[in-house]
Amino acid sequence: MAFAKISQVAHYAPEQIITNEDLAQVMDTSDEWISSRTGIKERHISKTESTGDLATEVARQLLEKAGISADELDFIIIATMTPDSMMPSTAARVQAKIGAHKAFAYDLTAACSGFVFALSTAEKFISSGTYRKGLVIGSETMSKSLDWSDRSTAVLFGDGAGGVLLEASDQKHFLAENLNSDGSRGECLTYGQTGLISPFSIQEEPDVFLKMDGRAVFDFAIRDVAKSIKQTIEKSPISADELDYLLLHQANIRILDKMARKIGVDRDKLPANMMKYGNTSAASIPILLSECVEEGFIHLDGSQNILLSGFGGGLTWGTLIVTI
Ligand code: ACO
């Protein structure tokens, strides 16, 4: 029986930092509005690097930390809603850049749940026994998805990438999961519509920028995501008390405060870094995981139980509990 384990983590963000004060210079907003409603103080915004460039940096770090060559990789999955192109995929671009000749590579799109969905998928590849090593990376240049004249969304997002090396193990590390979608509520969070443009079709003006009904997404997160977290804990062999940390998608600090109360865990178990990154969609959970390892909260020695939970466009939401 094959099992999968997270053996390395890494993250990377573009150098340029845009603070709330910087935003207030270019749009009608304030640090007070943004930080009191979301917790966000600043975000990284790419000047030149693409989603693929950010992911490549994470991939290189993961290989270096593990001391393995790119040739050893069986697969690369990039979770992203801001790919460099639909074809080739961002994952194929990363595969070429790092020279992972034998790896199959593809993108997975599930908005802010993308990393959790991708990690769940990758775990199945490894536990099938067919594949032994792969990269799962969340990478986003959310800055290109935004209508910068719309203050209600432009202040919320940032660019960055984070990821893990997943390897075969003889012990069970993925303890429980719960993945969900509800397309009937998809219209409250949209981005990148494509219109019909053939000479034989009725032309539609595509709505290209990100749009969000923030209140509806907030309520969805508190209700449905809390339920998913509770169900995953119930399905797992451990209790809520045995969770060391709960790494939730970093959209809004108030969601974390409410979630901790709703699921009945100590607020200190829900680390936050949206203050520094904003909402980086599929990259937010692996960036947070990597920072927790860097800062010494998470040890990567197989002794801790961590819950990962993402939620966003689709609607999509999902939770994993892993021993790490
Ligand atoms: N600066 C100043 N004022 C603003 C700004 C801004 N940047 N943006 C909006 N406002 C104004 C609005 O115009 C409105 O003014 P009005 O009352 O005069 O009409 C007022 O502030 C209140 O706006 P609301 O939208 O009601 O603010 P709310 O308290 O709901 O907070 C927020 C908005 C932060 C977006 C919140 O709803 C939220 O965080 N939602 C969840 C988002 C989320 O979790 N997304 C995750 C998924 S993302 C993904 O999948 C890609």
Side-chain angles (χ1 to χ4, degrees):
M1 181 85 186
F3 298 107
K5 74 164 185 182
I6 294 173
S7 58
Q8 292 296 339
V9 299
H11 71 281
Y12 175 75
E15 195 182 345
Q16 177 175 243
I17 293 173
I18 302 295
T19 64
N20 292 346
E21 287 81 7
D22 294 332
L23 288 178
Q25 303 293 314
V26 295
M27 64 183 77
D28 182 14
T29 191
S30 64
D31 173 52
E32 200 283 325
W33 192 96
I34 302 168
S35 48
S36 66
R37 276 187 171 70
T38 69
I40 298 164
K41 298 294 283 182
E42 58 189 38
R43 72 285 294 140
H44 294 251
I45 299 289
S46 178
K47 274 186 181 166
T48 56
E49 292 163 299
S50 70
T51 296
D53 293 334
L54 305 183
T56 300
E57 179 57 34
V58 170
R60 289 202 171 116
Q61 283 185 41
L62 288 168
L63 295 175
E64 196 181 317
K65 286 181 179 187
I68 62 168
S69 95
D71 279 333
E72 293 179 53
L73 294 174
D74 296 309
F75 61 83
I76 300 169
I77 307 176
I78 309 278
T80 185
M81 58 174 273
T82 50
D84 295 352
S85 54
M86 295 310 295
M87 190 171 71
S89 68
T90 306
R93 291 170 186 271
V94 172
Q95 186 247 14
K97 280 187 178 161
I98 64 172
H101 307 292
K102 79 166 193 212
F104 66 89
Y106 65 92
D107 293 353
L108 183 152
T109 301
C112 304
S113 312
F115 181 75
V116 168
F117 279 34
L119 191 55
S120 166
T121 307
E123 187 258 331
K124 310 297 178 293
F125 282 134
I126 294 205
S127 54
S128 74
T130 310
Y131 308 103
R132 295 194 61 79
K133 281 184 177 52
L135 301 183
V136 182
I137 297 173
S139 185
E140 304 279 16
T141 43
M142 295 302 288
S143 55
K144 74 181 182 192
S145 73
L146 301 170
D147 173 358
W148 285 93
S149 67
D150 173 12
R151 65 178 182 171
S152 71
T153 51
V155 303
L156 303 175
F157 295 91
D159 301 337
V164 301
L165 171 67
L166 206 63
E167 291 192 71
S169 163
D170 52 11
Q171 275 166 25
K172 191 172 169 68
H173 290 78
F174 282 70
L175 303 184
E177 70 172 36
N178 170 271
L179 306 182
N180 310 272
S181 296
D182 181 1
S184 72
R185 287 185 280 165
E187 289 307 307
C188 67
L189 198 42
T190 58
Y191 165 58
Q193 291 177 10
T194 49
L196 294 166
I197 53 164
S198 85
F200 314 105
S201 62
I202 299 162
Q203 301 286 312
E204 286 175 16
E205 191 64 41
D207 200 352
V208 290
F209 293 117
L210 186 146
K211 295 216 163 32
M212 177 165 75
D213 177 347
R215 201 55 70 80
V217 176
F218 194 98
D219 293 345
F220 144 70
I222 301 303
R223 195 179 49 244
D224 297 276
V225 181
K227 199 169 144 198
S228 164
I229 290 174
K230 283 183 185 165
Q231 284 177 349
T232 314
I233 296 170
E234 274 164 26
K235 273 204 295 192
S236 81
I238 62 166
S239 68
D241 291 343
E242 292 171 278
L243 284 170
D244 290 281
Y245 291 103
L246 295 83
L247 307 190
L248 269 53
H249 172 49
Q250 300 289 294
N252 187 315
I253 195 106
R254 291 185 298 148
I255 292 179
L256 301 192
D257 297 340
K258 285 197 175 213
M259 201 73 86
R261 280 200 296 277
K262 192 143 188 201
I263 54 186
V265 298
D266 186 351
R267 176 66 183 81
D268 292 343
K269 287 188 174 184
L270 277 64
N273 68 359
M274 81 282 285
M275 308 73 132
K276 295 190 293 177
Y277 294 98
N279 179 345
T280 56
S281 188
S284 90
I285 293 173
I287 292 175
L288 183 64
L289 174 61
S290 175
E291 285 204 331
C292 285
V293 171
E294 258 182 20
E295 289 164 21
F297 303 120
I298 295 180
H299 313 308
L300 283 187
D301 62 359
S303 69
Q304 292 168 300
N305 297 313
I306 310 291
L307 180 145
L308 310 175
S309 189
F311 52 89
L315 296 176
T316 55
W317 64 107
T319 306
L320 293 172
I321 297 179
V322 293
T323 302
I324 192 168

